[in-house]
Amino acid sequence: MEVIAKEAVQQALDQYVNKDVYVHLETTNGAYAKHFDSNAYNVGAFIRNAKVSYQRAKIVGDNGSFRVGLKMDIGWIYAEGVSDWEQNEKGELLLAGHDRDGRLMVALQISERPFNY
Amino acid sequence: MHKHVVVILPHPDDESFGCAGTVAKFRKEGVPVTYLCGTLGEMGRNMGSPFFANRETLPEIRKQELINACNVLDMELVMLGLRDKTIEFESRDEIAEQIKQYLDKIEPTLVITHYPEYAVHPDHDAMGAAAIEAVKRINPEKRPEVWAQAITNDRYDVLGVPDVLQDVKDVFDIKLKAIECHASQFGGMLKKFKENAATTNDEEIYERFYREEFYRWKF
């Protein structure tokens, strides 16, 4: 993955507008958060291969940390803290945010075909 | 002496971090060891440090790391094809039956797995519970011994002193090589360990890396 170039990512998001796409959305602080710090909470959520369609997409932010919003007919998809991106050889658009140790904290991925499951 | 040992854990790297020393000791004695690995760690958040994997490339990378680690440990590998983070939501009965099929074929004298409810990660707890259920379904006269690994901070308070204490310092070079195979997962941690190991020899490092502990499961 590479550091997000805002305009390139905006173009990549736009290519899926009004198409049926599969979304992977995820956030996590790991399964060991509470194990290593009793005051911490284990929190995470993911959805893999939600089939959706969005009418507008926008990436906003600066200083290397961005928010992405996808506007659907009846709701929204939102991710905060994405910093890196890649469009891989399968045509999947991968956006992710990592902490200073390279650990994934948030991911938003869009593809016209289902992600491996 | 054991005839065959089967290790049943959910993630690539659980074997290297958790019981590689014990596996290496058995292999030195000529005891065959088979690893039934539940998932490919598809949902791991460690992507290397600095990161080189992403959510979609991680499974293949971890699969190769797993194969390499099993080669280092000279341990047979079976991948069960479950998915990271989902084991507790699957049918325990089906997973137990899947495991039992391998156990019936291999006829191990010892099974190593996680201690259910004391293994921190939900996949560890669920995989351990399914493994123990599988062993329970074997006739008592053919039933292998089970060594269960507990990880929770309260394990000594609740479960007492572990029944099996393995000092693996003499095979630590092999264990370290196995851990090093999992570069996407332990890059950062290994660097810290090597820095610390050069200057200190404290109890924490000893406990974490040189000692492997298990509770004998009572059926």
Side-chain angles (χ1 to χ4, degrees):
Chain A
M1 302 185 97
E2 286 174 21
V3 170
I4 282 180
K6 212 158 142 186
E7 276 132 54
V9 171
Q10 183 62 56
Q11 278 180 22
L13 290 167
D14 287 341
Q15 69 188 318
Y16 301 110
V17 165
N18 292 327
K19 288 181 179 170
D20 283 339
V21 291
Y22 297 87
V23 167
H24 171 100
L25 179 65
E26 164 187 5
T27 183
T28 180
N29 64 352
Y32 297 92
K34 198 168 176 58
H35 180 63
F36 290 122
D37 175 3
S38 59
N39 293 318
Y41 297 86
N42 285 356
V43 178
F46 76 86
I47 182 165
R48 190 160 176 87
N49 286 330
K51 193 177 181 185
V52 302
S53 177
Y54 59 83
Q55 51 176 267
R56 191 164 72 226
K58 201 163 169 183
I59 178 164
V60 181
D62 46 32
N63 294 326
S65 182
F66 300 87
R67 297 172 299 284
V68 176
L70 310 178
K71 185 176 189 181
M72 300 181 291
D73 287 344
I74 55 164
W76 288 86
I77 292 169
Y78 171 91
E80 179 173 18
V82 297
S83 51
D84 303 281
W85 83 297
E86 174 178 323
Q87 187 140 33
N88 66 20
E89 67 284 352
K90 288 171 152 177
E92 297 163 343
L93 175 61
L94 314 181
L95 303 167
H98 301 87
D99 69 12
R100 64 179 64 83
D101 295 318
R103 290 177 297 211
L104 186 140
M105 299 187 291
V106 60
L108 171 61
Q109 305 182 162
I110 303 163
S111 170
E112 290 186 57
R113 282 185 297 274
F115 293 98
N116 277 346
Y117 55 90
Chain B
M1 191 168 126
H2 281 289
K3 285 211 308 233
H4 199 134
V5 177
V6 172
V7 177
I8 306 173
L9 303 168
H11 308 122
D13 76 13
D14 287 338
E15 82 297 335
S16 293
F17 192 57
C19 62
T22 300
V23 170
K25 277 175 172 281
F26 279 123
R27 292 302 298 124
K28 273 200 167 172
E29 294 171 9
V31 180
V33 183
T34 302
Y35 182 22
L36 308 184
C37 184
T39 79
L40 295 178
E42 292 90 343
M43 292 298 289
R45 68 183 181 135
N46 284 291
M47 298 288 170
S49 182
F51 70 91
F52 56 84
N54 63 52
R55 179 57 71 235
E56 300 311 309
T57 59
L58 191 64
E60 271 307 310
I61 289 170
R62 295 194 72 176
K63 185 178 176 179
Q64 197 53 55
E65 291 174 348
L66 173 65
I67 291 168
N68 295 345
C70 288
N71 284 338
V72 166
L73 295 171
D74 192 22
M75 162 167 79
E76 186 194 13
L77 171 63
V78 175
M79 290 174 271
L80 296 180
L82 296 162
R83 196 171 171 88
D84 193 16
K85 283 204 174 195
T86 68
I87 298 175
E88 62 181 328
F89 307 111
E90 294 280 7
S91 155
R92 178 162 305 162
D93 175 63
E94 281 175 25
I95 297 176
E97 273 308 306
Q98 187 186 4
I99 292 169
K100 185 169 177 291
Q101 285 183 4
Y102 287 102
L103 299 181
D104 286 343
K105 205 163 48 183
I106 297 168
E107 296 190 333
T109 52
L110 172 65
V111 166
I112 294 175
T113 191
H114 282 124
Y115 199 118
E117 311 304 324
Y118 291 90
V120 179
H121 193 300
D123 284 335
H124 296 174
D125 288 336
M127 198 78 205
I132 285 166
E133 177 59 31
V135 175
K136 207 180 275 179
R137 293 178 185 186
I138 299 170
N139 287 335
E141 63 271 17
K142 286 191 132 187
R143 193 181 282 160
E145 187 177 346
V146 172
W147 292 0
Q149 189 162 54
I151 308 172
T152 52
N153 295 321
D154 68 354
R155 62 191 184 277
Y156 300 132
D157 297 337
V158 183
L159 302 174
V161 179
D163 305 303
V164 183
L165 287 171
Q166 299 262 77
D167 185 331
V168 301
K169 202 168 182 179
D170 59 321
V171 288
F172 186 68
D173 56 326
I174 302 174
K175 178 169 180 169
L176 190 60
K177 263 190 209 146
I179 292 173
E180 278 174 334
C181 290
H182 298 284
S184 72
Q185 301 304 299
F186 284 111
M189 184 190 279
L190 267 184
K191 206 169 74 189
K192 266 184 219 151
F193 171 75
K194 282 183 172 169
E195 284 164 10
N196 290 342
T199 53
T200 64
N201 190 13
D202 64 24
E203 180 67 8
E204 194 185 349
I205 288 178
Y206 192 88
E207 270 186 24
R208 249 180 123 165
F209 290 94
Y210 295 157
R211 190 189 297 157
E212 295 175 359
E213 316 169 330
F214 308 92
Y215 294 89
R216 265 196 198 90
W217 193 263
K218 292 169 193 75
F219 287 95

